[in-house]
Amino acid sequence: MKVNGKAYRTIWPSKTEEYVEIIDQTRLPFEFVIVKLASLDNTASAITEMLVRGAPLIGATTAWGMWLAMLDDNSDNGLAQAQDQLRATRPTAVNLQWALAKMEAALRPALPPERAVIAYALAQEITDNDVRLCSAIGDYGSRLITDLYKSKGSDTAINILTHCNAGWLATVDWGTALAPIYKAHNAGIPVHVWVDETRPRNQGNFLTAWELHQHGVPNTVIVDNAGGHLMQHGKVDICIVGTDRTTANGDVCNKIGTYLKALAANDNDIPFYVAAPSTSIDWTITDGLKNIPIEQRDSLEVSRISGKLDDGTIGTVQVMPDGSNTRNDAFDVTPARLVTGIITERGVSKANQQSLSKLFPEFI
Ligand code: MRU
């Protein structure tokens, strides 16, 4: 997608040297900064500190981290250590483990001197493939939006509510939940997006609003508690969110607060869709509440908030009394019964094992 008119992906290797470049997402929307990752350590901390984030981008970054690791130590021990270090960065997004498993299958049987070359080729393949998957999700999802527009029978925009950031910044390009919106908008369907701010890290107002604005998609930031009220008043036609890990039977783990939006959508008969590339589906589990590890993050994300201060500088302020307790679960699980459908790269599935297995028979 474009930033100030120039096309970018979120991660790309240097054409001449041994490093990859990323957009530092902790600096958006106020500064657009490109950062080099030149080692395994750089890569692991970029994931942990969320310079890169979003399940598909975490997967692609992990793959490039394995390449950088193999440049430094291509031994069996180096391979195992790199896997352990990357695995420990963020526990919930299954794309990370998916990328590590792909790398393990390709690198373990190879001779150590061949490993860096193999890792580079596979990281590039994973990166390019992510773009294809997200583009296909966009095609299928934009049909849903177009159908809604036709059935509404008026020229008013389709109002789409989304949570967190599942746009191109969360993937290599296009996004998952936002890909259908970009494609519908590009095709001339009038769309308007309600952007949940998504406390505590505010991926909605910092990242989703920024990237929609860059592409010219009309959007309005709302506080996290507003969605249900808007739904009750007929101001939401459809919800589309992303996922960090969806189980084989369609339970959806996504950014904290997603579950409450699904409950409100269900109560108001509003379709609630999840955009999920197959790389975000964990085919080994069927109970999201029991089986998905929920990342616990630093309490400072809750007790403090960052932004642009009145004097134009970027700063952080404390938003609760000294000594208040906090708790910071980063994700929640929406049970399959609340999910209208899962938009995948092979089409739209019902949120159940039977329907998913028809689209992906090789996994179940
Ligand atoms: O903690 P984050 O910012 O990595 O969480 C991101 C989300 O929850 C996204 O909705 C999810 O990764 C889907 S990304 C296309």
Side-chain angles (χ1 to χ4, degrees):
M1 304 295 280
K2 289 188 178 162
V3 180
N4 299 325
K6 184 175 171 204
Y8 281 91
R9 285 182 172 187
T10 51
I11 189 165
W12 61 95
S14 160
K15 287 202 171 74
T16 51
E17 293 176 58
E18 290 175 336
Y19 60 82
V20 292
E21 292 184 280
I22 57 162
I23 299 164
D24 180 351
Q25 301 193 21
T26 63
R27 310 283 285 273
L28 289 170
F30 305 115
E31 297 168 309
F32 184 76
V33 178
I34 289 170
V35 169
K36 283 183 193 174
L37 306 179
S39 66
L40 170 63
D41 284 351
N42 287 171
T43 312
S45 63
I47 299 173
T48 309
E49 303 301 321
M50 295 177 65
L51 279 69
V52 287
R53 29 68 51 203
L57 180 56
I58 291 171
T61 308
T62 299
W64 288 111
M66 289 301 297
W67 169 58
L68 293 167
M70 292 301 95
L71 288 172
D72 188 46
D73 179 356
N74 59 25
S75 67
D76 282 0
N77 194 32
L79 181 57
Q81 275 187 359
Q83 289 167 324
D84 288 348
Q85 190 173 341
L86 288 164
R87 192 174 291 111
T89 54
R90 296 197 70 191
T92 303
V94 75
N95 303 60
L96 188 154
Q97 288 161 53
W98 171 86
L100 285 179
K102 297 273 282 185
M103 282 286 166
E104 166 72 14
L107 300 182
R108 179 73 59 192
L111 293 172
E114 294 170 352
R115 282 178 175 159
V117 172
I118 295 171
Y120 182 99
L122 185 52
Q124 188 64 65
E125 185 187 311
I126 286 171
T127 303
D128 292 341
N129 196 44
D130 188 65
V131 181
R132 279 192 288 276
L133 301 189
C134 289
S135 175
I137 285 172
D139 291 334
Y140 286 111
S142 68
R143 284 183 211 162
L144 291 173
I145 296 172
T146 306
D147 289 349
L148 263 181
Y149 178 65
K150 286 184 182 152
S151 69
K152 218 174 163 184
S154 80
D155 280 346
T156 51
I158 294 295
N159 286 300
I160 303 153
L161 183 139
T162 193
H163 192 70
C164 194
N165 172 261
W168 74 272
L169 289 169
T171 65
V172 176
D173 207 349
W174 281 113
T176 58
L178 298 195
I181 297 171
Y182 287 129
K183 295 233 176 183
H185 171 82
N186 292 351
I189 304 293
V191 289
H192 165 263
V193 184
W194 296 113
V195 178
D196 282 351
E197 59 177 350
T198 319
R199 273 282 282 154
R201 288 190 65 100
N202 294 79
Q203 289 95 328
N205 50 307
F206 284 171
L207 304 178
T208 300
W210 179 80
E211 61 161 276
L212 288 171
H213 182 71
Q214 285 288 329
H215 198 75
V217 178
N219 67 91
T220 306
V221 175
I222 52 174
V223 295
D224 285 326
N225 294 328
H229 163 75
L230 293 175
M231 292 183 208
Q232 285 175 320
H233 288 273
K235 297 197 179 305
V236 178
D237 296 302
I238 182 172
C239 302
I240 312 181
V241 300
T243 178
D244 285 78
R245 193 186 292 229
T246 285
T247 65
N249 63 315
D251 289 344
V252 170
C253 183
N254 191 48
K255 181 55 56 190
I256 192 82
T258 302
Y259 170 52
L260 290 178
K261 297 302 144 67
L263 281 173
N266 185 262
D267 194 44
N268 290 282
D269 287 328
I270 292 165
F272 187 91
Y273 282 92
V274 176
S278 54
T279 51
S280 296
I281 300 176
D282 185 341
W283 304 101
T284 66
I285 55 173
T286 52
D287 186 331
L289 280 175
K290 279 202 189 125
N291 303 138
I292 299 179
I294 301 294
E295 178 179 9
Q296 300 292 314
R297 291 192 63 86
D298 198 319
S299 65
L300 286 176
E301 293 181 350
V302 179
S303 63
R304 303 174 78 86
I305 194 161
S306 302
K308 194 195 269 188
L309 306 178
D310 285 346
D311 65 4
T313 58
I314 310 304
T316 301
V317 292
Q318 182 176 317
V319 288
M320 60 184 59
D322 290 336
S324 285
N325 294 326
T326 62
R327 180 176 165 127
N328 192 8
D329 300 69
F331 299 96
D332 62 24
V333 173
T334 299
R337 68 186 156 77
L338 298 176
V339 177
T340 310
I342 301 179
I343 311 167
T344 77
E345 71 269 21
R346 293 195 191 161
V348 181
S349 170
K350 290 207 175 91
N352 64 45
Q353 192 152 5
Q354 198 189 13
S355 182
L356 276 167
S357 69
K358 275 195 191 131
L359 288 182
F360 297 98
E362 70 272 37
F363 292 124
I364 299 190

